Amino acid sequence: MHIVRCEPLQHRNTFAFKSWASAYVQVVHEQELLDALEWANEHDMNVLPLGHGSNVVLAGDIDALVIHPAQRGIDLVEDNGDTVVLKVAAGESWHSLVQWSLQHGYFGLENLALIPGTVGAAPIQNIGAYGVEIASFIRCVSMVNIGNGQVMVMDARDCNFGYRDSIFKNVLRDKVVITSIELILSRKPCLQLSYPALNNYLNTDIAVELTPQALYDAVVAIRQSRLPDPGDTPNAGSFFKNPLVAPAQVMELLKASPDMPHYSQENGQVKVPAAWLIDRCGWKGKRVGKYGVHPAHALVLVNYGGDDGNELLALARDIAASVRHTYGVDLEIEPRVYGGE
Ligand code: FAD
Ligand code: NAP
């Protein structure tokens, strides 16, 4: 275990914001993680797990031991004929896992292709795209308690998975480091095609055979055509969650804007795309100093050469205020914000 004092994090977050960690360590197996937690305890330091930094806003320096889980490994731990159980280490890349599963004939993850980040971070916000969430596949999550080094395995039913939400964002926030997850995948293709964007793409290309590979290819192609690559244009994907609005308020909004897209949820609430609200408030493609709203996607805030997360947060506040003023809807930031004025 090699703990570095004063580590720059600018290349470790996809917004490329300048930030320094008071200490930093990569851990490749569980004992290293336990040693790192003990070191932090001895030095009276907080601990912050950081994967690929694709869902954080670093708005200042991090006064903590930043632990980068780098454990690797994908193991087939059960074969039940029609389904298999994979145990995947936290440090694996999520997209590489999606590709690996497809190549091995284990299906289900196709809609979640090209989501950046590590496997260990995936349960935190219950990553989702095109009508599929990781919660549908998780059997259990293994973790280490930051406070006492205790190893725990949590059944998926106890993870309180919700829309971009889980127990790791509230009750267990800052309390555990996830070390691996177990996923149940299917040997039989089970294509989830409910999203219009997918349907439109697949229907317009009549040469495409509907296989898991074709679905994966479609998701990759759509994402590459719509989303800026953080390597070229630093961003953290969707900056705001899609708000869940009460049906009565949606009825009122529809009177003034009959074309407003809206999707009823099982819990009775109605999801309204934040991108539509932001676009209608005139923000799409707008630049304010070195930050802006991407011209092709109103939900993606981008860094055009700045390095201060606080400046981007100021833009985000202005956007949220104008949506609140125009539609009476509150927007919630999706990435985790560290620091900030
Ligand atoms: P980080 O950003 O490093 O961390 C995120 C949070 O999780 C932090 O609070 C961190 O402390 C915590 N954390 C990380 N690893 C661990 C661990 N092992 N144990 C405990 N806590 C941990 N998300 C979606 O849901 N759907 C999408 O379609 C999607 N598309 C995206 C597209 C782009 C271009 C980008 C940049 C982001 C997108 N995201 C999407 C958001 C992001 O990719 C996911 O949230 C991803 O799971 C974050 O992984 P990470 O390793 O980068 O996490
Ligand atoms: P899109 O297809 O343009 O759709 C816009 C929004 O409408 C999406 O956010 C989606 O909500 C919602 N939506 C569309 N069809 C729906 C349906 N049939 N039922 C319920 N909700 C529906 O979306 P996009 O922005 O290009 O993104 C495509 C997918 O990738 C989405 O699922 C999105 O969440 C995901 N994505 C996430 C991030 C991130 O950082 N979190 C970044 C890029 C893309 P949902 O977002 O709830 O699915």
Side-chain angles (χ1 to χ4, degrees):
M1 181 185 66
H2 178 56
I3 292 178
V4 183
R5 291 285 198 161
C6 254
E7 172 75 1
L9 299 177
Q10 194 163 14
H11 301 295
R12 301 190 187 280
N13 72 98
T14 60
F15 261 128
F17 290 137
K18 205 178 262 179
S19 170
W20 291 78
S22 30
Y24 178 88
V25 67
Q26 271 196 37
V27 294
V28 293
H29 52 73
E30 200 161 286
Q31 190 53 51
E32 278 193 344
L33 172 58
L34 294 172
D35 292 345
L37 294 178
E38 201 177 316
W39 185 92
N41 193 22
E42 282 165 7
H43 291 77
D44 203 17
M45 226 182 238
N46 289 329
V47 163
L48 163 61
L50 188 66
H52 291 164
S54 65
N55 211 23
V56 292
V57 178
L58 303 183
D61 293 335
I62 306 292
D63 185 14
L65 170 63
V66 170
I67 297 184
H68 175 63
Q71 308 92 316
R72 307 301 294 269
I74 306 175
D75 296 312
L76 180 71
V77 292
E78 252 179 65
D79 190 338
N80 302 314
D82 284 352
T83 60
V84 295
V85 181
L86 302 180
K87 181 170 183 169
V88 191
E92 289 287 342
S93 134
W94 173 260
H95 179 62
S96 303
L97 169 66
V98 175
Q99 290 176 315
W100 186 97
S101 313
L102 193 58
Q103 281 157 12
H104 285 77
Y106 308 142
F107 304 123
L109 303 182
E110 299 79 23
N111 298 48
L112 303 178
L114 225 55
I115 298 181
T118 53
V119 163
I124 306 276
Q125 74 155 4
N126 180 19
I127 55 167
Y130 301 102
V132 173
E133 294 176 341
I134 189 183
S136 312
F137 307 99
I138 290 188
R139 177 160 86 165
C140 61
V141 176
S142 298
M143 65 203 88
V144 172
N145 184 314
I146 290 174
N148 58 17
Q150 207 180 344
V151 176
M152 303 187 282
V153 180
M154 183 173 282
D155 193 276
R157 278 169 300 205
D158 299 322
C159 292
N160 296 351
F161 287 121
Y163 175 61
R164 304 288 185 273
D165 198 21
S166 75
I167 194 169
F168 309 108
K169 286 183 89 171
N170 35 76
V171 179
L172 290 183
R173 180 175 160 140
D174 297 329
K175 295 207 166 39
V176 298
V177 180
I178 292 173
T179 49
S180 67
I181 62 175
E182 285 186 15
L183 297 171
I184 303 174
L185 300 182
S186 172
R187 283 193 196 274
K188 291 188 182 154
C190 40
L191 309 188
Q192 170 53 260
L193 302 167
S194 65
Y195 262 40
L198 273 180
N199 264 308
N200 293 343
Y201 181 90
L202 290 164
N203 287 340
T204 51
D205 190 348
I206 49 166
V208 168
E209 192 193 336
L210 283 190
T211 59
Q213 182 67 49
L215 173 56
Y216 166 91
D217 290 343
V219 170
V220 168
I222 298 169
R223 289 182 72 104
Q224 283 176 338
S225 70
R226 293 209 64 206
L227 288 166
D229 178 348
D232 307 326
T233 313
N235 73 86
S238 303
F239 198 83
F240 298 101
K241 285 165 79 166
N242 289 319
L244 298 171
V245 183
Q249 190 180 357
V250 171
M251 297 293 276
E252 280 307 307
L253 290 172
L254 284 170
K255 281 183 196 161
S257 312
D259 59 336
M260 182 181 78
H262 55 286
Y263 305 96
S264 296
Q265 305 296 290
E266 279 171 10
N267 65 4
Q269 290 180 301
V270 183
K271 183 172 71 183
V272 175
W276 187 90
L277 298 168
I278 295 168
D279 188 2
R280 284 302 170 102
C281 288
W283 287 99
K284 192 171 177 179
K286 228 178 200 179
R287 272 174 92 137
V288 179
K290 292 176 176 163
Y291 309 89
V293 180
H294 197 265
H297 204 309
L299 205 45
V300 180
L301 301 199
V302 289
N303 174 8
Y304 290 116
D307 59 18
D308 185 350
N310 286 300
E311 292 176 356
L312 181 100
L313 289 174
L315 170 63
R317 278 194 294 274
D318 288 347
I319 293 170
S322 84
V323 168
R324 192 179 309 116
H325 177 75
T326 311
Y327 293 103
V329 173
D330 285 324
L331 294 183
E332 188 189 333
I333 292 178
E334 183 183 286
R336 175 86 186 266
V337 176
Y338 292 96
E341 288 155 0

